[in-house]
Amino acid sequence: MSWHPLETITTSSPPPPSSPSSVNRTASIAGSSSESQVCSSAPSMYASQILLQYLPIPKSLKHPSNASQNSFLTTFKPSSKTTLKLRAILSENSLLSEDGSLFKHCFTKSEDGYLCCEGLRVEDVMNNVEKSPFYLYSKPQITRNFQAYRDALEGLDSIIGYAIKANNNLKILEHLRKLGCGAVLVSGNELRLALHAGFDPTRCIFNGNGKLLKELVLAAQEGVFVNVDSEFDLDNIISAARIAGKKVNLLLRINPDVDPQVHPYVATGNKNSKFGIRNEKLQWFLDAVKAHPNELKLVGAHCHLGSTITKVDIFWDAAVLMVNYIDQIRAQGFKIDYLNIGGGLGIDYYHTGAVLPSPRDLIDTVRELVLSRDLNLIIEPGRSLIANTCCLVNHVTGVKTNGTKKFIVIDGSMAELIRPSLYDAYQHIELVSPSSPGAGISTFDVVGPVCESADFLGKDRELPTPASGAGLVVHDAGAYCMSMASTYNLKMRPPEYWVEEDGSVAKIRHAETFEDHIRYFEVLVELPNYGNSNSDGKPLKLL
């Protein structure tokens, strides 16, 4: 699909080491939004949110067994688990920024009940775009979220590595790069995209438990940091270094076995995770790095605990373990300059005004540890940089009742936004305009048209009964929504727009079309005859 120029639409209208858990900040990102042009300031504020030949590896590089080597074994007792009560209605709590002023978020409610993005009515945006559903972002909110991390890191040598997996929109990536972001990559194509977007490769980190040799060659050629995740991963990294003719800067991804107390699908730092290397095997990896001085340079250690983390003491627990490992690694003659504590800071998806840790809370929790070891800190935010900057905007198709269950059917679905279906995740839902005077409040499941009972955006939500055609949004849709979208039921991926600093609306991604789908089947080439034949003795063809 060809890329056209952006289209612009005008609308009319710290806790100390002894007490790591003492956090008392919101997860909202402080900063002032654009002044409202259409909507007045809201009384209700949302809390935030790349074919190469393979070179053989020497057989002398033998993999370790699972036998334990206790020199790196550290125990950890996880904190107690808490339960967050589900809330379907909008919190009316007004959040305060650190200076005591009312916190301004990109999505607000006007005094007359209209949902606005940076002062523009979402309903007006709906009336000026060609397709629904669509994703609507606030570019200023992305900037404010980044600034919160940048400000929190003052006084530290650091890299803010945006996790591209959270949202891979090219225009968003270019904006974050201009702000000073590095990039965190988990596939070869994400690496290629980061390079295309202009990211400094020396501020990029290539993670993943299944990195391919050709991907690693590109990483080595460009000078990207590479995380070692397993024995075979190290084999491939050594081969890649030889092919590229360059030494690779390595980080060891250590699995600290810290429980992040989140959904198991997004927990990555426990001992049974598919990610990272167990601490019992660290000595083998250190010996292997020493054996390959022409290919490898160990420069740091990395851990990643999971996602949607709402307690910074979990980061403290991991950081204590990690600096202990770094001390032991340095004692063996390695020059370790970097500590990568990953990402995973959670946001207030429930919009209850919950007191959640901010970027400053996170950084202040590990600051003294980092400074005490003279380390450069790498952090990998994704969700907390982009999630709360966006809504999925939908039209209501209709309302129906089956038995005792009431449904609001919308044109959006699990194809565009799969988090609720995949994780049973909660995302706040509301209508974009005031309901009619006679509309009653009822409890609804908000569902899409996909032929799956799992196709829901929200369950048991108290909402005014909407009219057909009404606008409805799913909040906090900037992370792990569009990047996980599919074409199931041939629902084509939607367009994306953002509100810019001057209040204009620009398209930042075209909608996919049926014609795009058909083009994948044009000019198909027959496979060569490899000796296989069908019953007629004719070569097999690619149909």
Side-chain angles (χ1 to χ4, degrees), residues 34 203 244 283 326 337 349 457 494 529:
S34 302
R203 294 175 62 82
Q283 189 59 55
I326 288 173
D337 295 321
Y349 279 110
L457 284 302
N529 184 358

Side-chain angles (χ1 to χ4, degrees), residues 345-360:
L345 194 63
I347 67 167
D348 181 18
Y349 279 110
Y350 290 82
H351 288 211
T352 59
V355 178
L356 297 179
S358 70
R360 184 171 297 278

